[in-house]
């Protein structure tokens, strides 16, 4: 089965909020997501995170760790998503691939419309938040 490798980046700030962005594209327009994109050939997933956030939001990030991976079977080919935890180290947020962004607490994530496949990540972030209080 053919699959596409994609990364998404869960950026957090010092207040414990997470950065989400609303897609502005032909695919899933208006859906909220954690920014990211396709992993290019011979590129590490961490390098893809850094490149994609520079391209999409004009920010520099430091990738901290891999959170989890999951498959989105909504599309063909199947999208294999690797989620990473990171923080911004430089830059001003500039929307290049999104129509808006929001800083939200993990508890507020369910109030936004995400892809159905992202539920596994949203649930994991809820559990992570619950275990760190």
């Amino acid at each position: 089965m053919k699959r596409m490798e994609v990364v998404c980046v869960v950026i957090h700030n010092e207040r414990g909020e997470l950065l989400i962005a609303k897609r502005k594209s032909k695919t899933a327009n208006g859906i909220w997501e954690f920014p990211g994109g396709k992993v290019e050939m011979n590129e590490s997933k961490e390098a893809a995170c850094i490149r994609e956030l520079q391209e999409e939001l004009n920010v520099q990030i430091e990738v901290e760790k891999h959170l989890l991976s999951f498959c989105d079977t909504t599309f063909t080919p199947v999208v294999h998503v690797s989620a990473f935890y990171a923080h911004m180290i430089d830059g001003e947020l500039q929307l290049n691939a999104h129509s808006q962004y929001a800083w939200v607490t993990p508890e507020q994530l369910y109030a936004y419309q995400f892809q159905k496949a992202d539920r596994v990540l949203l649930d994991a972030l809820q559990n992570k938040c619950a275990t760190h209080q």
Side-chain angles (χ1 to χ4, degrees):
M1 177 187 317
K2 196 173 179 188
R3 73 181 198 181
M4 180 183 354
E5 291 292 330
V6 169
V7 293
C8 71
V9 184
V10 179
I11 298 176
H12 65 92
N13 64 22
E14 64 282 348
R15 295 180 304 277
E17 297 167 321
L18 309 175
L19 179 69
I20 60 173
K22 195 174 203 179
R23 289 177 64 99
K24 180 178 70 175
S25 67
K26 292 179 190 170
T27 306
N29 186 53
I31 298 292
W32 289 87
E33 68 177 1
F34 293 100
K38 294 177 192 169
V39 178
E40 295 180 355
M41 190 177 298
N42 299 321
E43 181 179 43
S44 73
K45 291 176 182 172
E46 291 83 354
C49 290
I50 293 166
R51 178 185 51 76
E52 285 288 345
L53 273 286
Q54 175 63 47
E55 291 173 4
E56 291 186 2
L57 297 172
N58 197 41
V59 294
Q60 301 294 319
I61 61 164
E62 182 176 355
V63 176
E64 295 173 22
K65 65 180 178 180
H66 177 257
L67 286 170
L68 59 87
S69 295
F70 60 95
C71 287
D72 184 347
T73 57
T74 308
F75 306 101
T76 303
V78 168
V79 178
H80 181 256
V81 182
S82 296
F84 289 83
Y85 207 52
H87 63 273
M88 287 194 313
I89 54 175
D90 196 26
E92 294 266 336
L93 282 170
Q94 177 182 318
L95 299 174
N96 297 320
H98 300 89
S99 60
Q100 63 187 104
Y101 71 90
W103 287 99
V104 300
T105 65
E107 297 85 6
Q108 294 170 320
L109 288 170
Y110 295 127
Y112 294 83
Q113 184 180 1
F114 281 80
Q115 294 278 68
K116 188 176 179 182
D118 287 338
R119 184 67 188 234
V120 68
L121 177 55
L122 301 184
D123 290 348
L125 290 167
Q126 293 296 307
N127 293 333
K128 181 177 177 9
C129 178
T131 60
H132 285 86
Q133 290 182 353

